[in-house]
Amino acid sequence: MGTFMEGRENQKQGEATMANQHLEVLNALDVAKIQWYHFTTIVIAGMGFFTDAYDLFCISMVTKLLGRIYYHENGSTTPGTLPPNVSSAVNGVAFCGTLTGQLFFGWLGDKLGRSKVYCVTLSLMIVCALGSGLSFGKTPTGVMATLCFFRFWLGFGIGGDYPLSATIMSEYSNKKTRGAFIAAVFAMQGIGILAGGIVTIIVTTAFNNRFDAPPYDIDPVGSTVPQADYVWRIILMFGAVPAAMTFYWRMKMPETARYTALVAQNAERAAQDMAKVLQVDLEDETEKEKTNEVAIKSDSEQYGLFSRKFLRRHGLHLLGTSMTWFVFDIAFYSQNLFQKDIFSAVGWIPKAATMNALEELFKISRSQILIALCGTVPGYWFTVAFIDIIGRFWIQISGFFFMTAFMLGLAIPYHYWTIPGHHIGFVVLYGFTFFFANFGPNSTTFIVPAEIFPARVRARCHGISAAAGKAGAIVGSFGFLYAAQNQDKAKTDYGYPAGIGVRNSLFVLAACNLLGLLFTFLVPESKGRSLEEMSGENEELQEIESGFPTVDGLLLLPAYANREKLAMI
């Protein structure tokens, strides 16, 4: 009996020793000074998001060109357009892949580690971006089918980048500047959107100068030169370039110390990995008792994603992060993917028949650059500057509020904005909705899920939240395409049924933003708090180290605890 008790006491001491090592490693990460490796990680992860945004949004610019090339109707007074089902597939299939990838790689990142699967996502993005541009087929249907195939797997790789990049950056950061670092990674999405417009302008200008063509209303066939087929392919294939540039550095990234300490339960290895890239003040772990074989908690004691304990502690949090991302992406992707249609509806972009194919693509990309420069990019970097000052909660609340207000400002006097001479005001208000989308929920919905959940399910919870967002993007990309059609069937795009019109569609998007504001109240503020404090993992470690349970970080001391036990605590 004595031997058993001694063994049990030794096991407890071993667990307490290891718990102390874990706390030491995690505390060192929380207070680590800003170092060069933090910026290196931002660039490595950020270039992934640069590529993500470029690949997801450049397709919206070339869909008009695809319609002219592959779906021209002889005798038609308007240029060819993609049929409704084809347009929906081309615009939305990447989001279906992204949703699937977010769930799969989120799960895999928790099971195998963040760094082990990080290069897989990038490889998919490189191969499929090239494949999208090389889409082959003898018929328009064949080309579109091949394009959709590569776009789906491109989205699958992009989906993996969301939970892995967010989790890696959050687990490397200190608690003082964590929000700014994660926001900086995500802000590269704005640069990617801007780059998509710039690349399109450069390519279209080069081809238009080399192969001059008349407007469609003068020569319907000659307005789309055969060489235009190279234009959209070059634009899509360029997405492989930034991804390939960072592949080597992704391969060299070590596993995050938080994953190694809390999930792999190897504090010594975590300290060694951390010492390779960060200068932190830790005692030499090799001089300590080797306790790697002692698990902090058995698998049965570590609550899982579908356990009652997780539901009790984080169920509402996961609902909040998922629903805010879902309703926001309905509005955000509707605006982004179909801004060319909105601008055409209010007359800011000339009628398609008055331009040749490349000239139309040039003006669409020019409008996207203007919106990106005036609203999208500044919004992202305002978040980087202020998120650790204002906090996630208030930035998200104010973002949803102002997006709702500006959407209503566009929708209520919509007919006024369609009058010639009033287009500038419409574009200004439209730009403000993008500014507050990015200095608001577009950034915070990405940041918060990487902060408030336990390390062992962090990537999965982020993946679930992001997948809910992409479900919203699918609703936005498929639904808005039909909803924004004119209520008069005679004025709809070729092949489309009558919709509710742009004005009523803007009212729907405003309602989505208002719902997002309400769901924000389910999400806790994480500014200035450690990841372990937010997830409750500090309590688990303190409980093991002390031998007593904790609630909200406070030790529960039973009445029979003697003075010797209290002294040990």
Side-chain angles (χ1 to χ4, degrees):
M1 182 68 177
T3 303
F4 172 79
M5 293 300 293
E6 288 175 6
R8 179 61 177 163
E9 187 65 27
N10 289 337
Q11 182 183 0
K12 287 183 177 180
Q13 289 177 0
E15 291 176 353
T17 302
M18 190 171 181
N20 182 59
Q21 290 179 2
H22 282 68
L23 286 170
E24 184 181 355
V25 170
L26 301 176
N27 289 336
L29 283 168
D30 281 334
V31 299
K33 295 179 180 179
I34 299 175
Q35 298 171 37
W36 181 249
Y37 191 74
H38 287 125
F39 296 106
T40 303
T41 307
I42 289 172
V43 172
I44 295 171
M47 286 305 290
F49 269 90
F50 176 98
T51 307
D52 296 348
Y54 182 95
D55 289 333
L56 286 177
F57 293 113
C58 68
I59 192 69
S60 67
M61 291 185 291
V62 302
T63 50
K64 293 273 190 181
L65 180 60
L66 291 173
R68 285 195 184 229
I69 295 172
Y70 293 105
Y71 292 91
H72 170 71
E73 294 283 339
N74 289 324
S76 174
T77 58
T78 57
T81 58
L82 295 179
N85 59 329
V86 176
S87 183
S88 297
V90 169
N91 280 294
V93 70
F95 295 135
C96 298
T98 303
L99 186 154
T100 310
Q102 286 163 338
L103 295 174
F104 176 75
F105 285 109
W107 168 80
L108 202 62
D110 283 335
K111 291 297 182 182
L112 300 182
R114 294 42 163 140
S115 63
K116 289 183 179 178
V117 294
Y118 207 24
C119 287
V120 177
T121 62
L122 204 64
S123 301
L124 272 172
M125 290 158 61
I126 294 170
V127 172
C128 294
L130 294 173
S132 297
L134 296 173
S135 297
F136 52 84
K138 294 182 178 180
T139 64
T141 302
V143 174
M144 294 301 111
T146 310
L147 176 61
C148 288
F149 172 83
F150 284 113
R151 292 283 299 173
F152 175 86
W153 290 108
L154 174 66
F156 189 72
I158 289 172
D161 230 38
Y162 275 73
L164 294 176
S165 291
T167 302
I168 286 172
M169 196 69 246
S170 71
E171 293 181 345
Y172 267 121
S173 304
N174 63 48
K175 63 183 179 182
K176 185 178 180 181
T177 58
R178 185 181 61 241
F181 285 166
I182 305 174
V185 170
F186 195 62
M188 293 301 292
Q189 190 178 76
I191 307 298
I193 293 172
L194 182 62
I198 293 172
V199 170
T200 303
I201 277 187
I202 292 172
V203 175
T204 52
T205 300
F207 273 77
N208 204 25
N209 290 339
R210 177 66 179 82
F211 307 102
D212 192 23
Y216 182 89
D217 53 10
I218 294 178
D219 185 354
V221 176
S223 66
T224 306
V225 295
Q227 292 80 5
D229 193 52
Y230 295 114
V231 172
W232 69 270
R233 296 177 185 276
I234 293 171
I235 293 169
L236 296 187
M237 290 172 69
F238 186 83
V241 175
M245 289 170 61
T246 56
F247 186 81
Y248 173 80
W249 286 275
R250 280 207 183 187
M251 289 180 62
K252 293 295 183 180
M253 288 187 74
E255 186 54 78
T256 68
R258 280 188 162 94
Y259 180 87
T260 306
L262 293 171
V263 183
Q265 299 185 3
N266 191 334
E268 182 182 358
R269 176 62 183 274
Q272 292 172 353
D273 286 346
M274 190 164 53
K276 294 177 183 177
V277 293
L278 296 175
Q279 295 177 358
V280 291
D281 185 18
L282 278 175
E283 296 178 25
D284 186 1
E285 293 292 334
T286 61
E287 296 178 0
K288 295 185 177 182
E289 181 182 358
K290 305 300 184 183
T291 56
N292 294 338
E293 72 278 3
V294 181
I296 288 184
K297 286 195 174 185
S298 67
D299 290 339
S300 62
E301 290 176 300
Q302 287 194 343
Y303 61 89
L305 182 62
F306 301 105
S307 66
R308 290 184 179 179
K309 192 172 183 179
F310 177 87
L311 186 63
R312 186 174 68 252
R313 287 194 173 195
H314 299 291
L316 287 178
H317 298 164
L318 186 57
L319 176 64
T321 57
S322 298
M323 289 305 300
T324 51
W325 210 334
F326 173 76
V327 295
F328 168 75
D329 271 12
I330 293 176
F332 183 71
Y333 282 89
S334 295
Q335 288 176 272
N336 256 308
L337 289 175
F338 302 106
Q339 59 180 269
K340 62 184 184 301
D341 302 303
I342 294 173
F343 288 151
S344 296
V346 299
W348 194 46
I349 296 177
K351 292 186 179 299
T354 64
M355 300 177 284
N356 65 42
L358 295 180
E359 186 181 1
E360 182 182 27
L361 180 56
F362 175 88
K363 293 190 175 180
I364 290 171
S365 58
R366 186 183 62 180
S367 69
Q368 178 158 313
I369 288 176
L370 182 62
I371 292 297
L373 284 174
C374 296
T376 303
V377 175
Y380 281 113
W381 292 102
F382 263 69
T383 303
V384 174
F386 294 107
I387 191 164
D388 288 313
I389 300 172
I390 301 174
R392 290 74 161 143
F393 178 82
W394 287 111
I395 286 179
Q396 185 160 310
I397 284 286
S398 60
F400 273 126
F401 173 80
F402 284 111
M403 285 180 69
T404 304
F406 285 119
M407 283 285 188
L408 293 176
L410 293 172
I412 293 173
Y414 178 75
H415 296 298
Y416 170 83
W417 300 123
T418 61
I419 299 173
H422 297 167
H423 306 150
I424 298 300
F426 182 93
V427 173
V428 170
L429 286 183
Y430 196 72
F432 271 120
T433 64
F434 276 100
F435 175 82
F436 283 104
N438 296 304
F439 182 41
N442 192 34
S443 298
T444 53
T445 53
F446 175 80
I447 294 167
V448 175
E451 298 182 308
I452 64 176
F453 299 108
R456 58 184 170 272
V457 295
R458 183 170 291 137
R460 273 174 285 178
C461 289
H462 193 284
I464 291 169
S465 303
K470 282 301 167 284
I474 292 169
V475 171
S477 61
F478 285 96
F480 193 84
L481 191 66
Y482 289 88
Q485 293 296 317
N486 199 292
Q487 292 174 291
D488 182 354
K489 180 65 175 69
K491 297 180 180 180
T492 62
D493 291 337
Y494 179 78
Y496 285 85
I500 61 175
V502 172
R503 180 173 187 262
N504 289 329
S505 297
L506 291 173
F507 277 121
V508 172
L509 300 185
C512 290
N513 293 326
L514 186 59
L515 280 175
L517 188 152
L518 297 176
F519 278 112
T520 299
F521 287 95
L522 298 178
V523 183
E525 177 60 77
S526 52
K527 182 186 75 170
R529 302 173 68 184
S530 73
L531 297 180
E532 291 69 43
E533 181 185 356
M534 289 298 302
S535 64
E537 287 163 307
N538 266 354
E539 295 179 16
E540 297 175 10
L541 294 173
Q542 290 171 359
E543 181 178 327
I544 296 164
E545 190 177 11
S546 66
F548 292 124
T550 62
V551 173
D552 295 330
L554 299 177
L555 293 177
L556 297 181
L557 302 180
Y560 55 79
N562 57 38
R563 293 183 179 179
E564 293 180 359
K565 187 69 176 178
L566 290 174
M568 291 173 59
I569 299 172

